Amino acid sequence: MKIRVVSSKDEINTLGPNEEIVHLAFRPSNTDIFSLVMKCPNVKALHIPSSYKRTISNSARMYLEMQGIDLLEGDVWGHRKDINEYSEVSQSVYDRIDQYRADGLSDDEIEDKMVRETRLSPDFVKFLVKQNN
């Protein structure tokens, strides 16, 4: 799964309509969130650093919820945007989720194990497990 990394408000206009997960590396306003959703009608989740997530207004949270868009907390560690505008979730993460499911683990147990094994945030791991059903 590819995560489009957006580092400024100006980059929202460069997004394509098929983006599914967008990481915002800046503190978005309500207008930025609304613009992003309008520009990317297929977006499933917004991924933002924890310090920024706390500042998202209740109205923006409600808007995202009404649109069926998850607001995920986390960072894209070690990503160099000057090399690639996308950060990618390795196929091995999905393979591991499938293996744990085959072993009979519950979603909560899978999430706990994956958070410990990867550098992904609990919110993001929960989203991946949900998407991988």
Side-chain angles (χ1 to χ4, degrees):
M1 177 177 290
K2 288 184 173 187
I3 304 167
R4 174 65 191 267
V5 179
V6 177
S7 21
S8 73
K9 299 170 187 274
D10 300 333
E11 288 181 40
I12 292 173
N13 292 326
T14 67
L15 295 172
N18 295 324
E19 305 294 351
E20 292 185 348
I21 300 179
V22 178
H23 174 81
L24 299 175
F26 66 95
R27 190 177 313 275
S29 66
N30 289 356
T31 306
D32 298 329
I33 291 171
F34 181 73
S35 297
L36 188 145
V37 172
M38 296 304 289
K39 189 79 174 161
C40 308
N42 297 325
V43 72
K44 294 178 182 173
L46 294 184
H47 187 248
I48 60 176
S50 57
S51 60
Y52 297 170
K53 184 178 180 189
R54 289 190 289 269
T55 65
I56 299 293
S57 71
N58 287 335
S59 58
R61 289 173 191 268
M62 191 180 310
Y63 174 71
L64 291 171
E65 189 176 317
M66 288 174 17
Q67 299 297 318
I69 299 169
D70 291 323
L71 183 60
L72 309 175
E73 182 177 316
D75 265 312
V76 284
W77 296 103
H79 178 71
R80 296 251 335 250
K81 188 156 183 289
D82 58 331
I83 295 173
N84 189 353
E85 60 191 12
Y86 289 93
S87 177
E88 214 162 333
V89 177
S90 164
Q91 182 60 42
S92 65
V93 171
Y94 293 104
D95 293 344
R96 198 79 175 127
I97 291 170
D98 290 339
Q99 181 59 52
Y100 285 142
R101 221 173 240 130
D103 292 346
L105 271 62
S106 70
D107 283 357
D108 288 340
E109 292 170 319
I110 293 170
E111 291 164 18
D112 289 343
K113 284 186 173 281
M114 293 303 294
V115 165
R116 277 183 271 142
E117 291 177 16
T118 65
R119 295 181 67 186
L120 302 174
S121 70
D123 275 357
F124 193 60
V125 169
K126 187 174 195 159
F127 176 79
L128 292 175
V129 169
K130 184 174 81 175
Q131 293 295 309
N132 204 36
N133 271 336

